[in-house]
Amino acid sequence: MDARVIRLEPHPAQRGDAWWAAPLLTAIALVAFVAYAVWAALQNGNYYAAPYLSPFYSPCVAARCTHVSVPLVGAWWTLSPALLVLWVPGGFRASCYYYRKAYYRSLFRSPVACAVPDAARDYRGETRFPLVLQNVHRYFFYLTLPVLAFLWWDALRAFRFADGWGLGLGTLVLCANAALLTLYCLSCNSCRHACGGHLDSFHGAPIRSRAWKIVSRLNEKHREFGWVSLASVVLADFYVRLLSVGLLNDPRLF
Amino acid sequence: MSEANITAHESDVLVVGAGGAGLRAAIEAAATGARTTLLCKSLLGKAHTVMAESGIAAALGNVHGEDAWQAHFRDTMLGGGSMNDWRMARLLAQEAPGRVLELEAWGAVFDRTPEGLIRQQDAGGHRYARLAHAGDRTGVEIMRTLQQRAVQLGIEVHMECSVQQLLTRGGRISGALALRRATGQFAHFRSNAVVLATGGGGRAWKVSSNSQEHTGDGVNLALQAGAALTDMEFVQFHPTCMTGPGSAQGTLVSEAVRGAGGVLRNAEGRRFMFDYIPERLRGETAPTETEADDWYATRQDRRRPPELLPADVVTRAIDAEVRAGRGFKNGGVHLDIATRRSSDEIRRLLPSTCRRFALLAGLDITREPIEVAPACHYSIGGVRVEAETAATSVPGLYAAGEVAAGVHGASRLGGNSLADLLVFGRRAGMHAALHALGTEPPAKVSAGESKDVARIVRLVEAPLGRSKGENPYLLQRELQECMQAHVGVFRTRSGLEQARDKIARLRRRAAKISAAGPRLYNPAWHLALDLESMLAFAQATTLAALAREESRGCHAREDFPAPSAEFGATSIVLRSSLEGLRMTREAVNAMPEEFRKLMVPDELKQFFEEQSTWVRTKSTSGSGAATPAAGNSKVTG
Amino acid sequence: MLDAVREVQATQAGDLAVRWNCKAGKCGSCSAEVNGIPRLMCMTRLDGLPTGEPVTVGPMRSFPLIRDLVTDVSFNYEKAAGIPSFQPVPAGADGKRRMYQEDVERIQEFHRCIECFLCQNTCHVVRDHADLRPHYSGPRSFVRIAALEMHPLDAGDRLPLLKDGAGIGLCNVTKCCTEVCPEQIRITDNAIIPLKERVADRYYDPIAAFLRCFKRTP
């Protein structure tokens, strides 16, 4: 072996690899998504193209909705109906253990990558307001379940055209979106805990044991489900929007 | 350095070494009520015990209800060629189950049977499935459990603190002088009882599966303190270890690879193990490849493939093939699982082996054969101790674990070393505590002791002060090459004599080692000091191997290929004297009749037959490849 | 990598301070930072590193330097000593303790830990916020606590310790511990997050607290 050793001052090495690439991409993706979501939520229009309802506006609970799912809020609500519901999936994603990692790294840079110095000065983790509220992630999970049910309802409704049952490209888009969101939702760490993670022994609890094992396997892909479902929500909304403004015609498959 | 810089510590029991035996001893000493101090050469929890994979032998009877201590005792004696101290073998078999259950009560998590009890797996030489295990990392499980227990009991631990010499007063132990690696300062530990639990001396060999801590320190310390060594010639070699690259050489390749279907082939592509089937195992070993391969499929009603013969047989076969020139470039043979099982099967059955090869050698074992060779694995001999108390011949000095001799006889069964650590670690700790509590606490340091300490400090510091001299790393390499070449699997008089003379020369050169550099964590200095122990260990092994003119267990003499009745009843005992090591032959304790009855009548006889036939087997095998036999007959002729 | 360091030791710098024991990734002694990335030297192959440029090996940055590649890791031992040990429930009527494979498998993952302290070294809370160290035990401790809390036969309760003394709330689940673990323990997903959920059960879940009131006074 031909090796020359040079003793450097203590702690010379900074990571020399492209550690910044992953957080940069994450940051771009997250900012782009939030920007699109805010824009889409504030549109207050073009979110329904029969029989498709944009997932950003589902369930549509205001009386003034183009396509009312359940009229919970009266006609006095004149703002975008998306605002009434969107905080639920939004909060779910914001407090999700995976997304926490993603934005703590890429946006807070705390730390931006492993073994790279933390940008935070007065770091207190998740012990203080507001980040201590991350602990209520489970409630967002519970609240997301009915929203998910509506998305499946919307996906079913997407088979119902003016001329009867059928299947359009939009139907597939909404079904795929609902499926991906379901996977993302069920692979959640809080779901895993609720299913059986809270137990010390699965012996004698066969149902919870099975549920925990299934969710645990899904949980290994939580990050992937998180990103794919994020993309699918945007795509579904964008597709409905294009149909709604007439830039696109929905191809009927049968 | 003035003495003022030596820190002083006092305790009832001082335990040297924090592997399984040391931790267990410290726990027991503390539980007995003694103020206990534990010293370890590395960080706590890094001891060689963590490398134990297979399991701990204990006749719990969870898998086979008919298993009992008598069966474990019988297997142990049979495996050790009845060279074992039968009282130790009995205690091992009787107490191992209790030690395992105790670990469980301290939080160890072993694999389970469907009934929720501790699962036990098979291992070579054990009649029943007997090895309690936690996956393939049983050693880590035991270490963590004991470590946490010791911490819980508040035992005082000094890490990276290596003992340089034991101190005696009037022939009794009075403490130890140790070097703190991190600071280079000395510490004087005063105590009336010392437990040695320093492990073996496998680092004196070039190809070794041992952790770098295994430098034979305890053997050296005990010798200097006046204790006796025995069975030093029995050094066990593991048949299949990696041959490279670099320091991956010696890393164990578990028997599980052969159990899963891996076969051994030489450079001619021959499955050579068929040429090495001992006579007494012919009845249960498949003679042809077809029949051997059948066994893997059904595992019952078939004769076992020869790759699964006892470890000593496989070790000697591989070594003989390589020496006959039928090995590969790194001095090993091929262990081939790739052509025998599908990639998926290999990955499922041997996950950790796959991963280790990928990381250490960049080798995909699902595609390529593994080159393997025997490596020094376990020091069976060591400090001679009383079976019940683990006491050495020096009052106040106790020894347990790999550093102690006796329980394994001439060859060790897998799983018995972990049981040994716990059973005799506990006994050593308990009796050391009782001894210490029964004696007056250490009096004030006498003038003689201070002088002693000052002398040791000067000796230890000497290499640090020499700006020019021998390089300790190169000396160690020379020692390792020498032991590998001459005190390896097969030994001969001429080789052993060469080794003896070489070691004597190395000892003289070691007196001129330079480890110039700072006191703070200076590895050259540490190695210079460890080298003393390695040389003492190597010397003792070589002399004992030279004296034992027979082949028995893991000691194979090419010039004396058969066991002899005379040596079968004799232990080689070594003590330190002014002229160097003094050797005596002492009779092995005979087993009383009631224990003899536990052995099936013909078993012992069969064992000796196997021993006497290993050379003949090769020469009569119809392989046409007569070289190994010829090679041997040259020497024996 | 470890071989390279040892070769340098033997031929050029005998006093080059480095810890190593088993050279097979089992003892966790040779933790260092190779090109700035925390890893075990013995399990780092030089041919896996960029060729043609110098390789930098440094000590673990989070712990006080003793010399060269050797650091004072006593922080980790102090934190370990603060964790209440296993408290077994009484054995069954037949004197035997029963656990089942499906239950032990979950905690055996945590028992794989070789205590290389790479996770402790890499965790930014330990690494970059010295002021928090008295209040934070680090990933290794969480793995240990998870092994005890999820042990089917353990009667201890370490949730108050987790919330306050061990500071699990200071962890922001950025998973660097998991990334550097040489034993591939999924520290964040399988130990820390489940513990955070258990802490949330006890301290941050009003409905669970409400239900507990009824449990206590039936």
Side-chain angles (χ1 to χ4, degrees):
Chain A
M1 186 182 344
D2 178 32
R4 289 273 170 288
V5 63
I6 305 163
R7 276 186 171 151
L8 304 168
E9 286 303 299
H11 305 318
Q14 289 292 346
R15 282 180 65 167
D17 56 339
W19 52 264
W20 42 267
L24 183 66
L25 284 176
T26 311
I28 292 170
L30 287 178
V31 170
F33 172 77
V34 171
Y36 180 85
V38 168
W39 174 79
L42 294 177
Q43 288 301 299
N44 199 5
N46 297 327
Y47 52 82
Y48 186 74
Y52 311 132
L53 175 63
S54 155
F56 277 125
Y57 286 77
S58 173
C60 220
V61 293
R64 287 176 184 270
C65 279
T66 321
H67 175 85
V68 182
S69 306
V70 230
L72 290 179
V73 179
W76 55 267
W77 181 272
T78 52
L79 296 174
S80 165
L83 301 180
L84 289 169
V85 185
L86 210 53
W87 61 273
V88 172
F92 181 55
R93 283 196 195 256
S95 66
C96 158
Y97 285 99
Y98 168 67
Y99 282 104
R100 270 144 82 175
K101 172 203 163 188
Y103 61 78
Y104 287 144
R105 279 201 188 190
S106 62
L107 301 176
F108 291 39
R109 292 181 294 124
S110 181
V112 61
C114 302
V116 174
D118 191 346
R121 298 260 157 196
D122 184 30
Y123 177 83
R124 284 295 175 277
E126 298 179 338
T127 55
R128 283 188 191 164
F129 185 81
L131 292 181
V132 71
L133 291 178
Q134 305 278 30
N135 282 301
V136 301
H137 181 51
R138 55 187 59 192
Y139 286 104
F140 280 111
F141 167 68
Y142 304 145
L143 288 171
T144 302
L145 291 175
V147 175
L148 200 59
F150 275 104
L151 286 175
W152 277 111
W153 177 241
D154 294 338
L156 280 180
R157 292 275 295 262
F159 287 95
R160 182 83 186 151
F161 290 82
D163 54 354
W165 294 97
L167 183 77
L169 181 60
T171 318
L172 293 181
V173 168
L174 288 194
C175 282
N177 181 47
L180 289 170
L181 283 169
T182 305
L183 285 172
Y184 169 63
C185 196
L186 291 184
S187 61
C188 154
N189 296 74
S190 286
C191 173
R192 189 179 179 215
H193 177 73
C195 282
H198 61 287
L199 296 172
D200 290 342
S201 172
F202 294 121
H203 190 72
I207 295 168
R208 281 180 287 182
S209 166
R210 260 198 90 83
W212 182 78
K213 277 177 190 148
I214 293 167
V215 173
S216 293
R217 291 203 49 186
L218 289 175
N219 181 257
E220 287 172 23
K221 296 266 173 251
H222 195 44
R223 179 184 70 148
E224 286 77 359
F225 291 142
W227 283 115
V228 178
S229 64
L230 197 72
S232 78
V233 168
V234 170
L235 279 176
D237 177 81
F238 192 61
Y239 185 73
V240 172
R241 217 161 272 286
L242 288 181
L243 295 182
S244 175
V245 296
L247 281 173
L248 208 66
N249 274 321
D250 183 44
R252 273 293 283 277
L253 303 172
F254 61 84
Chain B
M1 188 174 82
S2 76
E3 268 179 65
N5 283 336
I6 304 176
T7 54
H9 311 265
E10 198 191 302
S11 61
D12 296 322
V13 175
L14 180 70
V15 180
V16 184
L23 281 165
R24 188 65 191 81
I27 289 168
E28 197 64 21
T32 311
R35 291 171 302 152
T36 306
T37 301
L38 180 63
L39 305 186
C40 47
K41 207 158 101 168
S42 294
L43 296 172
L44 184 62
K46 307 300 179 198
H48 183 68
T49 305
V50 298
M51 297 181 68
E53 294 186 345
S54 61
I56 169 167
L60 291 160
N62 288 347
V63 173
H64 290 282
E66 59 272 39
D67 194 11
W69 75 262
Q70 288 89 345
H72 188 190
F73 169 76
R74 167 203 161 275
D75 291 345
T76 302
M77 292 300 292
L78 206 60
S82 284
M83 282 293 292
N84 323 52
D85 181 330
W86 67 271
R87 293 176 305 163
M88 289 179 90
R90 180 190 62 172
L91 289 171
L92 180 88
Q94 286 176 329
E95 295 184 357
R99 298 288 79 76
V100 172
L101 294 173
E102 184 177 75
L103 281 180
E104 188 169 62
W106 295 343
V109 177
F110 296 103
D111 285 17
R112 318 305 295 184
T113 65
E115 296 78 41
L117 300 173
I118 295 174
R119 184 173 178 272
Q120 297 181 277
Q121 64 185 3
D122 278 308
H126 291 282
R127 183 192 290 185
Y128 301 108
R130 189 178 283 149
L131 268 57
H133 65 106
D136 60 358
R137 31 148 223 96
T138 314
V140 179
E141 188 70 30
I142 291 177
M143 276 299 290
R144 291 293 168 267
T145 307
L146 292 174
Q147 185 184 334
Q148 280 143 11
R149 179 78 184 166
V151 168
Q152 183 191 356
L153 292 174
I155 291 167
E156 186 180 327
V157 182
H158 296 259
M159 293 191 224
E160 305 199 303
C161 192
S162 74
V163 172
Q164 299 305 317
Q165 196 157 330
L166 299 175
L167 304 170
T168 53
R169 178 193 266 191
R172 309 168 74 88
I173 286 292
S174 65
L177 187 76
L179 172 70
R180 289 185 194 282
R181 287 183 164 181
T183 59
Q185 305 293 311
F186 288 88
H188 182 181
F189 294 91
R190 299 171 65 222
S191 86
N192 284 344
V194 170
V195 178
L196 289 177
T198 55
R203 290 313 293 175
W205 279 260
K206 183 180 169 212
V207 185
S208 169
S209 69
N210 283 195
S211 142
Q212 85 132 347
E213 284 189 313
H214 271 202
T215 51
D217 297 1
V219 158
N220 192 31
L221 293 171
L223 267 183
Q224 289 174 353
L229 310 180
T230 188
D231 294 346
M232 289 300 292
E233 64 276 28
F234 297 115
V235 176
Q236 200 170 34
F237 285 75
H238 191 281
T240 53
C241 297
M242 291 169 72
T243 54
S247 64
Q249 185 177 45
T251 304
L252 285 194
V253 182
S254 132
E255 193 185 332
V257 179
R258 280 171 285 145
V263 296
L264 294 164
R265 287 188 216 279
N266 62 19
E268 294 164 1
R270 182 176 166 77
R271 250 179 100 173
F272 58 85
M273 278 311 299
F274 288 102
D275 308 338
Y276 294 87
I277 304 170
E279 204 57 47
R280 80 141 171 140
L281 295 170
R282 282 197 182 276
E284 49 198 85
T285 309
T288 64
E289 296 202 17
T290 331
E291 188 175 340
D293 290 346
D294 260 8
W295 179 86
Y296 290 109
T298 60
R299 306 224 164 207
Q300 48 192 354
D301 305 330
R302 295 284 193 288
R303 292 186 283 182
R304 290 159 66 87
E307 278 81 9
L308 297 176
L309 284 166
D312 288 338
V313 178
V314 182
T315 297
R316 288 197 281 256
I318 295 175
D319 201 65
E321 286 294 311
V322 173
R323 279 148 34 107
R326 291 191 294 274
F328 289 89
K329 63 176 184 343
N330 295 323
V333 296
H334 273 171
L335 173 56
D336 173 22
I337 179 101
T339 63
R340 310 261 308 160
R341 295 281 175 270
S342 74
S343 310
D344 288 344
E345 256 182 304
I346 299 171
R347 275 191 215 102
R348 183 171 55 81
L349 292 170
L350 306 161
S352 58
T353 311
C354 282
R355 203 175 142 248
R356 195 174 317 143
F357 271 94
L359 283 171
L360 285 174
L363 183 86
D364 181 357
I365 68 165
T366 65
R367 291 166 173 276
E368 292 168 82
I370 310 163
E371 189 172 340
V372 294
C376 178
H377 185 47
Y378 190 86
S379 314
I380 287 174
V383 184
R384 192 163 72 162
V385 291
E386 275 297 312
E388 282 78 14
T389 60
T392 67
S393 49
V394 178
L397 183 61
Y398 298 78
E402 194 173 344
V403 69
V407 68
H408 303 300
S411 192
R412 179 190 62 100
L413 296 186
N416 268 0
S417 49
L418 289 181
D420 172 18
L421 301 179
L422 299 173
V423 169
F424 295 103
R426 170 178 161 277
R427 286 186 162 266
M430 178 165 64
H431 289 282
L434 293 174
H435 172 86
L437 296 172
T439 50
E440 288 294 308
K444 266 194 72 166
V445 183
S446 68
E449 274 177 314
S450 313
K451 244 174 92 184
D452 256 3
V453 167
R455 181 181 56 81
I456 302 163
V457 166
R458 271 198 309 279
L459 273 176
V460 171
E461 286 181 336
L464 210 50
R466 285 188 205 104
S467 55
K468 279 215 156 51
E470 297 279 353
N471 176 337
Y473 297 95
L474 302 183
L475 271 192
Q476 185 195 23
R477 276 184 199 176
E478 282 192 45
L479 172 67
Q480 290 173 332
E481 303 272 356
C482 163
M483 294 302 281
Q484 195 68 33
H486 302 304
V487 199
V489 176
F490 288 104
R491 295 137 183 209
T492 62
R493 168 175 295 280
S494 62
L496 289 167
E497 281 171 352
Q498 279 183 49
R500 181 191 61 192
D501 300 342
K502 173 81 181 177
I503 293 166
R505 285 198 299 278
L506 286 172
R507 288 201 94 156
R508 284 195 292 277
R509 287 168 62 194
K512 288 178 273 177
I513 283 181
S514 155
R519 306 186 76 86
L520 244 64
Y521 218 102
N522 179 347
W525 189 23
H526 305 158
L527 181 59
L529 301 171
D530 288 349
L531 202 54
E532 288 291 323
S533 306
M534 271 184 270
L535 284 163
F537 190 95
Q539 187 183 29
T541 302
T542 308
L543 292 181
L546 203 47
R548 184 170 287 280
E549 297 185 325
E550 64 157 355
S551 290
R552 178 181 301 275
C554 55
H555 172 68
R557 283 281 296 259
E558 277 183 328
D559 39 0
F560 298 95
S564 89
E566 181 203 341
F567 276 107
T570 309
S571 296
I572 312 283
V573 179
L574 296 159
R575 289 185 182 80
S576 182
S577 75
L578 286 175
E579 302 84 53
L581 285 178
R582 186 164 52 86
M583 182 163 34
T584 48
R585 294 179 181 189
E586 298 182 16
V588 176
N589 281 330
M591 231 191 306
E593 192 49 37
E594 56 183 300
F595 287 97
R596 278 197 172 274
K597 274 189 236 153
L598 294 175
M599 322 294 281
V600 182
D602 286 332
E603 274 175 346
L604 287 175
K605 209 171 122 253
Q606 281 177 347
F607 180 83
F608 294 127
E609 276 167 14
E610 176 206 333
Q611 291 292 316
S612 60
T613 50
W614 64 261
V615 171
R616 186 157 53 82
T617 308
K618 283 182 288 178
S619 50
T620 55
S621 68
S623 69
T627 328
N632 287 318
S633 59
K634 257 178 227 158
V635 186
T636 52
Chain C
M1 186 72 241
L2 181 61
D3 281 352
V5 170
R6 287 176 55 208
E7 185 63 26
V8 166
Q9 240 186 359
T11 56
Q12 298 179 43
D15 65 335
L16 177 66
V18 56
R19 281 192 185 108
W20 67 277
N21 271 337
C22 79
K23 63 192 166 49
K26 286 190 170 183
C27 74
S29 298
C30 60
S31 306
E33 302 191 359
V34 181
N35 285 347
I37 299 176
R39 53 204 303 185
L40 292 180
M41 283 189 278
C42 69
M43 300 303 265
T44 303
R45 284 170 60 79
L46 281 176
D47 59 14
L49 301 172
T51 47
E53 40 190 285
V55 177
T56 320
V57 192
M60 287 195 282
R61 192 182 278 244
S62 298
F63 309 121
L65 184 67
I66 293 177
R67 215 163 73 76
D68 294 337
L69 299 175
V70 176
T71 51
D72 174 3
V73 292
S74 49
F75 167 78
N76 307 297
Y77 287 98
E78 284 156 22
K79 291 297 180 186
I83 301 172
S85 58
F86 179 63
Q87 295 162 40
V89 297
D94 57 355
K96 291 181 176 171
R97 289 194 165 79
R98 285 187 165 75
M99 293 188 264
Y100 297 88
Q101 191 63 26
E102 55 178 336
D103 296 336
V104 306
E105 265 164 22
R106 179 164 52 153
I107 50 180
Q108 279 180 337
E109 175 183 8
F110 308 136
H111 285 223
R112 287 210 307 257
C113 172
I114 56 172
E115 300 199 329
C116 63
F117 307 128
L118 284 172
C119 57
Q120 301 279 86
N121 170 55
T122 313
C123 176
H124 67 114
V125 186
V126 179
R127 198 176 172 96
D128 300 322
H129 303 285
D131 56 319
L132 295 177
R133 288 190 188 191
H135 316 291
Y136 183 68
S137 295
R140 164 59 189 137
S141 300
F142 297 141
V143 167
R144 169 80 185 130
I145 295 174
L148 289 162
E149 282 295 302
M150 297 176 196
H151 195 301
L153 300 181
D154 176 72
D157 174 15
R158 297 160 194 83
L159 292 185
L161 169 77
L162 268 178
K163 177 174 172 282
D164 298 319
I168 198 167
L170 289 169
C171 162
N172 68 351
V173 294
T174 34
K175 291 198 176 178
C176 284
C177 49
T178 307
E179 273 185 32
V180 299
C181 179
E183 278 294 314
Q184 295 165 320
I185 301 170
R186 297 180 63 227
I187 302 174
T188 317
D189 281 319
N190 289 348
I192 296 180
I193 292 175
L195 289 177
K196 276 189 173 246
E197 286 290 314
R198 287 181 184 213
V199 168
D201 271 346
R202 174 84 56 90
Y203 297 102
Y204 299 107
D205 188 334
I207 294 177
F210 181 70
L211 291 175
R212 269 201 303 278
C213 291
F214 285 97
K215 265 191 184 165
R216 271 190 217 126
T217 50

